[in-house]
């Protein structure tokens, strides 16, 4: 049901889902959603996404981990520009 709420962007149904999930095995997850209710509501209703930014950060972290202890900033910059 939560997945359907997120996919259909039904912000109004989020409150009822939180109250229903509070008494189930998902109570911890529902408490986290309730604590961030404003941010979750904005994520459901707004058309913007930061997926591109997160992808670039993930790529940078992967390259940094692969090069750990082997190179300085100039080689890291060269790898990022070609990746």
């Amino acid at each position: 049901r939560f997945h359907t709420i997120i996919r259909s962007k039904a912000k109004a149904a989020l409150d009822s889902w939180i109250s229903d999930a509070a008494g189930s095995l998902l109570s911890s997850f529902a408490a986290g959603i309730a604590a961030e209710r404003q941010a979750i509501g904005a994520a459901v209703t707004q058309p913007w996404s930061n997926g591109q930014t997160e992808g670039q950060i993930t790529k940078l972290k992967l390259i940094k981990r692969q090069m750990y202890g082997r190179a300085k900033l100039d080689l890291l910059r060269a790898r990022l520009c070609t990746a």
Side-chain angles (χ1 to χ4, degrees):
R1 193 168 127 207
F2 180 74
H3 186 266
T4 305
I5 291 170
I6 298 298
R7 290 287 177 192
S8 65
K9 300 185 181 294
K11 183 180 176 185
L14 193 60
D15 291 330
S16 65
W17 180 85
I18 290 171
S19 62
D20 291 345
S24 70
L25 293 173
L26 298 172
S27 62
S28 177
F29 179 67
I33 296 294
E36 299 293 330
R37 184 184 316 248
Q38 201 170 23
I40 300 297
V44 167
T45 59
Q46 298 298 320
W48 300 289
S49 170
N50 64 345
Q52 285 290 330
T53 305
E54 294 295 330
Q56 294 296 324
I57 290 170
T58 301
K59 182 173 77 169
L60 171 64
K61 287 181 178 182
L62 173 69
I63 292 172
K64 282 176 69 175
R65 270 189 232 110
Q66 288 173 342
M67 296 177 60
Y68 182 76
R70 295 187 184 94
K72 300 291 184 229
L73 190 59
D74 57 340
L75 186 56
L76 177 62
R77 183 178 293 127
R79 288 252 343 242
L80 276 176
C81 290
T82 62

